[in-house]
Amino acid sequence: MEAELYDIYSMFHVPFWQKEWFAGTVGFIGFLLCIGTIFLISRLLRPKKKPQSAWDVALANLNALKKGPHYSVHHSKEFYCALTDILKLYVQRRYDVKVLAATDEEFIAYLQQHQIIPAALLSTMDELVQGSVSIKFAHDTVVSSRLDDDFQRVVAIVRDTIPVQTQK
């Protein structure tokens, strides 16, 4: 009778959750979930950046301009273009007016018409902008002392228009 019994091990079925590939897939998905959870928690716990004030941005841009390659007599056109752009951006952010796309003449005329800036500072801005027109468009030469003076005038304009409460 022993000669008539045959083994049937080849008919044995292994469920998919007991196979190696399933364990590897579950481990990989678990790893991705852990990484995603850590990422989300770190985003929630990270301190929020408070928006910078207009004068902080302007002063940072002015410092970058002074340290940059355009702060020289040879690049006076680029320097004055950047200087007036910084001034326009500051006025736009500080007083919430749309003057960034305006020409230099339109910019000054708008400020004179709406009396946003005190008259003394407005006359300084007008002198600065009118003096820079020939440098920017007629390629006039400029001496380094004027470059420094105009830079300091823009810094003074920004500092003089900072609200009193934030200067403390």
Side-chain angles (χ1 to χ4, degrees):
M1 179 125 159
E2 286 182 28
E4 295 179 16
L5 296 176
Y6 296 105
D7 291 331
I8 56 171
Y9 288 112
S10 63
M11 305 284 280
F12 183 69
H13 175 69
V14 177
F16 71 92
W17 60 86
Q18 291 179 354
K19 294 186 179 181
E20 287 184 28
W21 65 265
F22 183 76
T25 304
V26 169
F28 182 70
I29 291 172
F31 174 74
L32 289 178
L33 286 174
C34 289
I35 295 295
T37 304
I38 291 170
F39 176 74
L40 288 175
I41 290 173
S42 69
R43 295 269 305 197
L44 292 174
L45 295 178
R46 185 179 316 156
K48 305 287 187 235
K49 291 182 182 179
K50 64 179 187 178
Q52 288 186 319
S53 61
W55 46 90
D56 289 336
V57 171
L59 292 174
N61 288 342
L62 287 168
N63 285 334
L65 179 64
K66 188 170 187 175
K67 292 177 184 175
H70 299 304
Y71 194 78
S72 69
V73 176
H74 302 294
H75 299 285
S76 58
K77 176 183 177 181
E78 292 86 3
F79 171 77
Y80 278 99
C81 287
L83 196 65
T84 54
D85 285 345
I86 291 170
L87 191 59
K88 287 178 187 178
L89 180 65
Y90 170 69
V91 169
Q92 179 169 314
R93 289 190 66 190
R94 168 75 174 86
Y95 297 103
D96 197 29
V97 293
K98 303 290 183 202
V99 293
L100 193 58
T103 64
D104 294 342
E105 292 80 20
E106 292 171 346
F107 171 60
I108 296 297
Y110 183 86
L111 294 178
Q112 288 172 344
Q113 180 184 8
H114 292 88
Q115 299 175 350
I116 296 172
I117 295 184
L121 291 177
L122 188 58
S123 67
T124 303
M125 287 173 68
D126 188 27
E127 290 174 17
L128 177 81
V129 169
Q130 295 305 324
S132 70
V133 168
S134 64
I135 296 167
K136 291 193 306 189
F137 301 111
H139 304 292
D140 282 351
T141 56
V142 65
V143 293
S144 64
S145 62
R146 180 173 175 199
L147 204 75
D148 293 332
D149 290 342
D150 289 342
F151 180 81
Q152 291 304 323
R153 288 200 292 179
V154 172
V155 170
I157 288 169
V158 170
R159 289 199 174 135
D160 290 344
T161 55
I162 295 175
V164 178
Q165 298 89 356
T166 60
Q167 290 180 351
K168 293 180 182 178

